[in-house]
C-alpha cells in the first residue's frame, strides 16, 4: 500500500493491442484475448508480444465474447448474443466446431479437465456441465440444487484441487461454491 502500483506487462504494442477486450484466458505460455472491436481473439506471448489473430476467417463470425477457455477440443469462445459456443484451433485459428441451440446466453466458461467444461448461462440461470462434444451432461440450477439457485450469475472460477466451481451471483451478493463430481 505504501508504493504506487506499477504496470508489469502490457499485451500488444501500439496497433496490436486489443481495441475492446472482453475476455482473457491463459494456456501453455500464451494469453488469448477476445476483442469485441473486430470480433477476433488476439494471442500474446508471456512477454506481451502479439503473435497472431484467431477467428478473423471463421465461418461463424464472432460477436461480443464474455468467456474463453482452452479445452481438449480447442479454444472455446462464448458468443452470448447468438447463444452459441465457437471452437477454434488455438494454433491456426481454424474453426473446429460451433455448438448452437443448447444455451440462451453463454457468458463464462471454465475447462473442467480435458473432457468437460462448465458453461454459465446468464439468462437460463444455470451452469451446464458440457462434455467434449458440446452436449450438456449435467446442470447446476434451482432444480438440481434447490437451496443454491442462481439469481444473476456473472463469472466463475474452477479450482481443480478441490473440485469446486466458484460462481459470482450479483443478484444475491454472494459467491456460490459447488462441488463438481468426476466425470461418469
Amino acid at each position: 500500500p505504501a508504493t504506487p502500483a506499477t504496470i508489469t506487462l502490457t499485451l500488444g504494442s501500439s496497433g496490436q493491442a486489443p481495441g475492446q477486450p472482453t475476455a482473457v484466458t491463459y494456456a501453455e505460455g500464451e494469453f488469448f484475448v477476445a476483442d469485441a472491436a473486430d470480433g477476433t481473439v488476439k494471442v500474446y506471448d508471456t512477454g506481451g508480444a502479439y503473435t497472431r489473430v484467431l477467428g478473423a476467417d471463421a465461418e461463424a463470425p464472432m460477436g461480443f465474447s464474455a468467456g474463453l477457455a482452452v479445452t481438449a477440443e480447442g479454444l472455446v469462445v462464448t458468443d452470448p448474443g447468438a447463444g452459441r459456443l465457437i471452437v477454434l484451433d488455438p494454433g491456426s485459428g481454424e474453426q473446429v466446431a460451433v455448438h448452437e441451440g443448447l444455451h440462451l446466453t453463454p457468458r463464462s466458461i471454465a475447462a473442467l479437465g480435458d473432457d468437460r467444461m462448465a458453461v454459465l448461462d446468464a439468462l437460463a440461470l444455470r451452469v451446464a456441465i458440457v462434455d467434449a462434444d458440446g452436449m450438456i451432461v449435467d446442470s447446476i440450477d434451482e432444480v438440481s440444487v434447490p437451496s443454491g439457485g442462481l439469481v444473476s450469475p456473472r463469472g466463475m472460477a474452477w479450482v481443480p484441487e478441490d473440485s469446486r466451481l466458484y460462481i459470482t451471483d450479483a443478484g444475491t451478493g454472494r459467491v456460490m461454491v459447488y462441488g463438481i463430481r468426476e466425470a461418469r
Side-chain angles (χ1 to χ4, degrees):
T3 58
T6 58
I7 295 173
T8 58
L9 180 66
T10 300
L11 299 180
S13 60
S14 169
Q16 296 176 326
Q20 189 179 3
T22 57
V24 63
T25 195
Y26 177 84
E28 298 185 21
E30 296 183 307
F31 293 98
F32 297 85
V33 181
D35 189 351
D38 60 6
T40 64
V41 175
K42 297 194 172 50
V43 185
Y44 303 90
D45 66 18
T46 56
Y50 171 84
T51 61
R52 62 192 179 283
V53 65
L54 307 177
D57 300 323
E59 295 171 31
M62 293 180 286
F64 169 89
S65 175
L68 299 170
V70 177
T71 70
E73 188 179 20
L75 174 67
V76 183
V77 182
T78 65
D79 190 355
R84 63 187 178 177
L85 303 175
I86 299 170
V87 184
L88 304 174
D89 180 284
S92 69
E94 180 181 337
Q95 183 176 304
V96 175
V98 176
H99 301 299
E100 297 181 280
L102 297 174
H103 312 285
L104 298 175
T105 310
R107 185 177 190 90
S108 182
I109 53 178
L112 307 176
D114 288 337
D115 61 345
R116 295 183 309 158
M117 68 179 159
V119 180
L120 186 149
D121 191 325
L123 193 56
L125 302 178
R126 73 167 184 214
V127 175
I129 307 302
V130 178
D131 68 14
D133 296 322
M135 299 305 297
I136 297 172
V137 295
D138 212 341
S139 183
I140 299 170
D141 55 29
E142 64 182 15
V143 173
S144 65
V145 187
S147 63
L150 301 166
V151 176
S152 183
R154 302 299 171 103
M156 66 182 162
W158 168 244
V159 179
E161 296 83 12
D162 299 331
S163 295
R164 301 254 190 258
L165 191 61
Y166 293 76
I167 301 170
T168 61
D169 192 337
T172 62
R174 298 185 295 180
V175 175
M176 307 296 283
V177 182
Y178 300 96
I180 304 296
R181 295 186 298 260
E182 294 299 316
R184 294 181 228 169

